[in-house]
Amino acid sequence: MRTQVVIVGGGPSGLLLGQLLHRKGIETIILERKTREYVLGRIRAGILETGLVNMMREAGVAERMDKECFVHDGTCISYENEMFDINFQKLIGQNVVVYGQTEVTRDLYDARDAVGGQTIFEVEGVEIRDADTEAPYVTFTVDGSARRIDCDFVAGCDGFHGVSRKTIPDTVRKDYEKVFPFGWLGVLSETPPVHEELIYANSARGFALCSMRNENLSRYYVQCNVNDDIFEWTDEKFWDELKRRVPEAIAEKLVTGPSIEKSIAPLRSFVCEPMRWGRLFLCGDAAHIVPPTGAKGLNTAASDVHYLYEGLVHYYQDKDSHGIDTYSEKALARIWKAERFSWATTNMLHRFPDQSDFDLKMQRAEIESLHHNETAQKWFAQNYVGLPY
Ligand code: APR
Ligand code: PHB
């Protein structure tokens, strides 16, 4: 087979890139290791920056999002019994969209079907060959038969555990990593959200987050030990712990119910440099991971897609390779700022095993300055809604 761009990975970044390129008449084939149902079964975050919302529009997949999403002008932070609102609208005239990543991925799959985009599911043994030549190709097997796709470029959108990053030789690649000494236990419940905005809670018992998907679907998280046994976290224990970490007024109005999904996720920061090697370009989790505290996972994947999409369009339409030649540099410049915001908010809102009394005082002082200092709130708002592309 032959195509212009092989996209390895049928997650949100691969699908969004595929849809945008299709609308510019650039052909793609997406290779996905799992089934569509499996990909859509993964529960992920749901805060969309303005940049991603605009790209959903440009890709022609914004209709359901516009109908079903929440638009939030701000977010709340609590510490012990105190709670304050950071109003993005007042501070910088912007807002964020609350719409589940699962829904984004579903809309992108439906859009790809609608345009007859080729997606090959359940592929195995994907190998990216000759990416450092003018004629890369990808080999894989599906239904037991060996296949090969010749192409101009390969977009590695296959997540943290994919093959793309590992295709870049160690001699060329440098990985930066920080693993946090805790995880997040997340619960999805068919209950009304406890508050009209998200609440990021710092408490003596650790971090908690109150988030949502729709009027009757809520998402909550508590900081936990990453090795905790999920079966020891009964729903009752979860709700009890959550109530102890949010202000009393919030705990009183919290509607609890059976969890329909419950999982523990580790927290890490990770960046791979460079994000390009010859004709191979990394996008999203294949190149970088953020702790979820800053809601930057999907949004940094989206900014990568923005830069690569622009670069490829200029390459094919104007025979101008400046965009693809500066892709890695441009994408990384924005990613490192998102990494810093995610690292800073994680440090400000979680309890660390080795935290001294002095450290706790520093954390408290940082939260109080965010509470009472407009400049600090503006910085938070600019980063939370998303820095310009
Ligand atoms: N061959 C083909 N497909 C693969 C391979 C492989 N070797 N390895 C992984 N994949 C697929 C996975 O099954 C997954 O569907 O690549 C896809 C990668 O999707 P994501 O992990 O969702 O990564 P990305 O599209 O970059 O989205 C980033 O996902 O994890 C969240 O917080 C993260 O929100 C961010 C978003
Ligand atoms: C979520 O809704 O799952 C969510 C929201 C904000 C975050 C992380 C997760 O920072």
Side-chain angles (χ1 to χ4, degrees), residues 8-14 31-34 38-39 42 44 101 123 126 157-163 283-286 297-299 301:
V8 183
S13 58
L31 303 178
E32 170 51 50
R33 175 166 58 184
K34 302 288 186 181
Y38 180 94
V39 174
R42 286 186 303 225
R44 295 268 175 78
Q101 176 173 321
V123 297
V126 169
C157 302
D158 48 357
F160 187 73
H161 302 288
V163 293
C283 280
D285 278 18
L298 180 60
N299 293 302

Side-chain angles (χ1 to χ4, degrees), residues 140-264:
F140 59 98
T141 62
V142 63
D143 305 330
S145 69
R147 312 281 286 277
R148 166 181 172 143
I149 310 176
D150 291 283
C151 56
D152 303 329
F153 300 103
V154 180
C157 302
D158 48 357
F160 187 73
H161 302 288
V163 293
S164 301
R165 184 176 67 253
K166 299 173 190 116
T167 304
I168 304 181
D170 295 349
T171 50
V172 175
R173 210 180 79 222
K174 179 161 176 44
D175 296 346
Y176 300 82
E177 184 168 36
K178 177 179 180 58
V179 177
F180 290 90
F182 39 71
W184 276 16
L185 170 67
V187 156
L188 193 64
S189 60
E190 290 172 330
T191 53
V194 69
H195 196 59
E196 65 269 12
E197 289 184 344
L198 272 62
I199 303 174
Y200 290 86
N202 171 305
S203 84
R205 301 177 66 88
F207 171 81
L209 170 62
C210 305
S211 183
M212 59 196 75
R213 294 290 177 270
N214 60 43
E215 288 80 6
N216 199 42
L217 192 60
S218 296
R219 181 71 165 157
Y220 297 102
Y221 300 91
V222 294
Q223 173 186 349
C224 66
N225 187 313
V226 78
N227 305 315
D228 276 358
D229 176 351
I230 191 95
F231 296 102
E232 277 168 23
W233 274 98
T234 59
D235 286 358
E236 193 195 352
K237 178 180 174 188
F238 176 85
W239 293 120
D240 178 53
E241 191 55 42
L242 180 62
K243 285 181 181 172
R244 292 162 175 258
R245 298 187 186 191
V246 294
E248 282 157 22
I250 299 294
E252 271 151 29
K253 62 176 180 165
L254 180 70
V255 178
T256 65
S259 60
I260 60 172
E261 192 273 350
K262 190 188 290 177
S263 55
I264 293 179

Side-chain angles (χ1 to χ4, degrees), residues 18-160:
Q19 200 59 21
L20 289 164
L21 291 176
H22 170 82
R23 293 170 78 88
K24 295 290 183 183
I26 300 169
E27 262 182 43
T28 63
I29 296 177
I30 294 182
L31 303 178
E32 170 51 50
R33 175 166 58 184
K34 302 288 186 181
T35 62
R36 179 198 297 237
E37 293 61 41
Y38 180 94
V39 174
L40 291 173
R42 286 186 303 225
I43 303 293
R44 295 268 175 78
I47 302 293
L48 313 187
E49 292 178 349
T50 312
L52 172 51
V53 170
N54 293 342
M55 279 209 291
M56 293 280 280
R57 289 193 208 299
E58 185 173 348
V61 288
E63 197 184 331
R64 193 164 73 98
M65 175 186 72
D66 288 337
K67 255 196 253 126
E68 298 178 10
C69 76
F70 293 139
V71 175
H72 282 189
D73 288 345
T75 194
C76 296
I77 294 191
S78 71
Y79 53 115
E80 307 312 340
N81 223 16
E82 291 255 2
M83 188 160 101
F84 62 96
D85 171 49
I86 298 182
N87 189 313
F88 316 137
Q89 198 57 257
K90 276 211 198 94
L91 290 158
I92 59 171
Q94 292 190 56
N95 51 43
V96 292
V97 159
V98 179
Y99 186 64
Q101 176 173 321
T102 313
E103 306 319 314
V104 169
T105 310
R106 192 186 310 283
D107 296 343
L108 287 165
Y109 268 120
D110 293 346
R112 190 162 180 85
D113 291 349
V115 298
Q118 189 175 6
T119 309
I120 308 175
F121 289 98
E122 298 181 89
V123 297
E124 291 171 349
V126 169
E127 286 198 42
I128 299 163
R129 314 280 189 98
D130 292 359
D132 56 344
T133 75
E134 303 291 297
Y137 62 101
V138 178
T139 59
F140 59 98
T141 62
V142 63
D143 305 330
S145 69
R147 312 281 286 277
R148 166 181 172 143
I149 310 176
D150 291 283
C151 56
D152 303 329
F153 300 103
V154 180
C157 302
D158 48 357
F160 187 73

